[in-house]
């Protein structure tokens, strides 16, 4: 089911001050995709999700789910949450501690007076799906964090919703479990072929789980794209910076040719992708991801996008070193393989491919 949001605005008032949690949000969430709302804490993700579910009342705008208007100020429409055909998984799971796994999962059906045999069948089916077969009688609180998470998922799925919504569902899990649950969730959601709206502030979750990512800031959608577009060739500085580590090298566009442009930057001329078509003479920035910077012997640093500099720092981070190389006044961060034979203070060359850096306009 497609979700369509138009001009959605929501204000809160705190100590006499207005907080605009959603600022005229226009958004189409395509059917049967994993769609992520990504952004820093406080940018309005939860508020937007709660408006879609019907737990929060917007001030202005319109929301449709599968072509049906579920909320509209102008037309005075409000469809209550239970009539919207949605399933939701919260950060805290909202599992009932005094109930066993079966009752937790069956709850949404018991509430709707579904016949007992059908409840049993549907709970069995959904528990099989989340790989919790045989856990029916267990107290929900005796389960591990990851298992509780799957109970919450099963409960959200048992009524066979048309759309499932998640609000930071992995944030209470430890790092290792979060990683495996992320993969599992991706598999579950892909198999289900359901519209999933996923809220997170974690860029890795967004990149690994999503078909599309909408990056939010201060109540607005800044940019929408698939994970690779957002990571490799974003249109906004805020997005490029938020989604991963980024070297942003300022300069002025010297010339433009087809898909690329030459930027006279603080490290010298950089050839970079110019998807936005920034014109010659404009101020711009080249964005270079640390993992795309190659190290060369200082003497071999000749040709386009090759620069010479001095290793300012090398920080051991386990699987690699995080290095900083100084080129004039500019510091570039790069990934240094453990086997690389370089030290702080060394003169080195660096190179990045023109297709592996891109121009941003502000
Ligand atoms: P996110 O989920 O992205 O962290 P939220 O949607 O929870 O952001 O909040 C967006 C903004 O609205 C924040 O500034 C938050 O403080 C404010 N806000 C959210 N809910 C309320 C509320 N019930 N009362 C007052 N302010 C709120
Ligand atoms: Mg939130």
């Amino acid at each position: 089911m497609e979700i369509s949001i138009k001009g959605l605005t929501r204000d809160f008032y705190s100590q006499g001050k207005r907080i605009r949690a959603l600022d005229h949000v226009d958004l189409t969430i395509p059917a049967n995709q994993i769609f992520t709302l990504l952004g820093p804490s406080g940018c309005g993700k939860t508020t937007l999700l709660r408006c879609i579910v019907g737990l929060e009342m917007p001030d202005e705008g319109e929301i449709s789910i599968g072509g049906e208007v579920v909320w509209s100020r102008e037309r005075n429409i409000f469809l209550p949450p239970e009539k919207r055909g949605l399933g939701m998984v919260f950060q805290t799971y909202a599992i009932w501690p005094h109930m066993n796994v079966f009752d937790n999962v069956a709850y949404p059906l018991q509430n709707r007076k579904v016949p007992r045999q059908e409840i049993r069948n549907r709970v069995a089916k959904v528990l099989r799906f989340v790989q919790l077969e045989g856990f029916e009688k267990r107290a929900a609180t005796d389960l591990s964090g990851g298992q509780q998470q799957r109970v919450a998922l099963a409960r959200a799925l048992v009524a066979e919703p048309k759309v499932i919504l998640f609000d930071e569902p992995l944030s209470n899990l430890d790092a290792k479990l979060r990683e495996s649950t992320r993969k599992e969730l991706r598999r579950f959601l892909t198999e289900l072929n359901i519209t999933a709206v996923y809220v997170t502030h974690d860029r890795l979750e967004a990149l690994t789980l999503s078909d599309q990512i909408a990056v939010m800031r201060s109540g607005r959608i800044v940019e929408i794209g698939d994970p690779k577009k957002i990571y490799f060739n974003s249109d906004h500085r805020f997005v490029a910076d938020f989604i991963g580590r980024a070297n942003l090298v300022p300069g002025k566009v010297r010339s433009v040719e087809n898909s690329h442009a030459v930027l006279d930057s603080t490290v010298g001329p950089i050839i970079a992708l110019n998807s936005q078509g920034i014109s010659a003479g404009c101020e711009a920035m080249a964005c270079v991801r640390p993992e795309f910077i190659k190290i060369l012997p200082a003497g071999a640093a000749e040709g386009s996008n090759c620069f010479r500099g001095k290793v300012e720092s090398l920080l051991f981070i386990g699987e690699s070193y995080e290095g900083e190389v100084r080129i004039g006044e500019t510091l570039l961060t790069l990934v240094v393989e453990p086997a690389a034979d370089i030290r702080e203070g060394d003169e080195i060359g660096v190179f990045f491919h023109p297709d592996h850096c891109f121009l941003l306009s502000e």
Side-chain angles (χ1 to χ4, degrees):
M1 285 253 174
E2 180 181 283
I3 302 173
S4 159
I5 291 162
K6 289 194 195 113
L8 210 70
T9 295
R10 173 66 165 118
D11 290 332
F12 292 108
Y13 291 88
S14 167
Q15 295 163 340
K17 265 183 66 186
R18 188 187 75 183
I19 302 161
R20 181 145 282 186
L22 296 177
D23 191 0
H24 298 93
V25 171
D26 290 312
L27 181 65
T28 301
I29 299 175
N32 304 341
Q33 284 201 0
I34 307 173
F35 192 94
T36 295
L37 300 168
L38 172 71
S41 171
C43 72
K45 306 180 295 293
T46 295
T47 305
L48 182 51
L49 207 67
R50 286 170 56 86
C51 287
I52 296 172
V53 177
L55 296 171
E56 189 80 64
M57 227 37 123
D59 295 312
E60 279 173 48
E62 194 169 284
I63 305 172
S64 316
I65 301 173
E68 182 189 9
V69 178
V70 297
W71 191 86
S72 167
R73 151 104 328 149
E74 222 162 66
R75 292 150 73 180
N76 200 20
I77 297 172
F78 172 73
L79 198 69
E82 66 275 11
K83 296 223 168 105
R84 294 191 185 188
L86 311 172
M88 175 129 184
V89 180
F90 298 91
Q91 183 171 358
T92 52
Y93 318 146
I95 281 176
W96 290 287
H98 56 283
M99 289 186 194
N100 65 25
V101 168
F102 180 92
D103 290 332
N104 260 286
V105 174
Y107 186 82
L109 299 181
Q110 279 160 349
N111 231 7
R112 286 172 207 199
K113 312 225 170 352
V114 176
R116 275 170 68 186
Q117 188 53 44
E118 193 186 333
I119 292 182
R120 269 200 290 274
N121 292 343
R122 282 166 72 171
V123 170
K125 184 176 157 203
V126 77
L127 284 179
R128 214 165 28 243
F129 180 69
V130 300
Q131 295 161 352
L132 282 177
E133 222 172 356
F135 284 74
E136 288 81 354
K137 296 261 155 54
R138 287 269 201 108
T141 42
D142 286 351
L143 302 178
S144 71
Q147 289 167 331
Q148 289 189 20
Q149 217 280 323
R150 282 188 266 155
V151 172
L153 179 63
R155 190 180 50 196
L157 291 175
V158 77
E160 294 173 7
K162 295 167 281 189
V163 179
I164 183 163
L165 304 104
F166 298 86
D167 193 356
E168 314 240 7
L170 307 184
S171 55
N172 284 334
L173 305 178
D174 63 52
K176 201 148 182 112
L177 191 57
R178 198 153 61 217
E179 198 179 315
S180 55
T181 312
R182 201 167 60 212
K183 285 188 191 142
E184 210 172 74
L185 199 56
R186 163 98 204 159
R187 187 173 62 76
F188 288 154
L189 292 177
T190 314
E191 257 174 52
L192 280 170
N193 199 24
I194 191 175
T195 305
V197 188
Y198 192 95
V199 158
T200 184
H201 68 276
D202 183 309
R203 60 188 191 84
L204 212 64
E205 260 171 51
L207 288 171
T208 52
L209 270 174
S210 319
D211 295 312
Q212 297 277 320
I213 300 173
V215 181
M216 289 184 71
R217 181 191 199 183
S218 309
R220 294 173 190 220
I221 308 284
V222 183
E223 186 169 344
I224 301 176
D226 65 53
K228 287 188 178 158
K229 155 76 180 155
I230 295 282
Y231 190 82
F232 290 122
N233 200 2
S234 152
D235 292 334
H236 298 84
R237 179 191 177 151
F238 172 77
V239 174
D241 222 9
F242 189 77
I243 200 74
R245 293 182 303 160
N247 293 294
L248 298 170
V249 189
K252 197 175 207 176
V253 178
R254 182 201 295 174
S255 59
V256 177
E257 199 173 320
N258 301 325
S259 53
H260 291 75
V262 181
L263 184 78
D264 280 321
S265 80
T266 53
V267 302
I270 294 176
I271 307 175
L273 279 174
N274 184 27
S275 309
Q276 293 182 65
I278 303 171
S279 312
C282 293
E283 307 271 325
M285 261 174 306
C287 176
V288 193
R289 302 270 178 218
E291 65 272 25
F292 284 118
I293 300 183
K294 289 206 176 87
I295 297 172
L296 312 167
E302 273 174 40
S304 16
N305 288 7
C306 285
F307 306 96
R308 273 189 214 194
K310 192 169 179 178
V311 179
E312 179 132 327
S313 68
L314 273 179
L315 192 68
F316 180 61
I317 54 166
E319 70 265 31
S320 62
Y321 288 84
E322 186 179 294
E324 281 180 315
V325 58
R326 177 174 291 285
I327 305 166
E329 293 296 296
T330 307
L331 269 184
L332 293 184
T333 301
L334 66 167
V335 178
V336 181
E337 298 303 317
D341 185 23
I342 62 169
R343 285 177 188 79
E344 286 177 3
D346 282 358
E347 291 282 334
I348 60 166
V350 294
F351 163 76
F352 40 88
H353 195 280
D355 290 345
H356 293 160
C357 55
F358 57 95
L359 290 190
L360 293 164
S361 57
E362 44 95 31

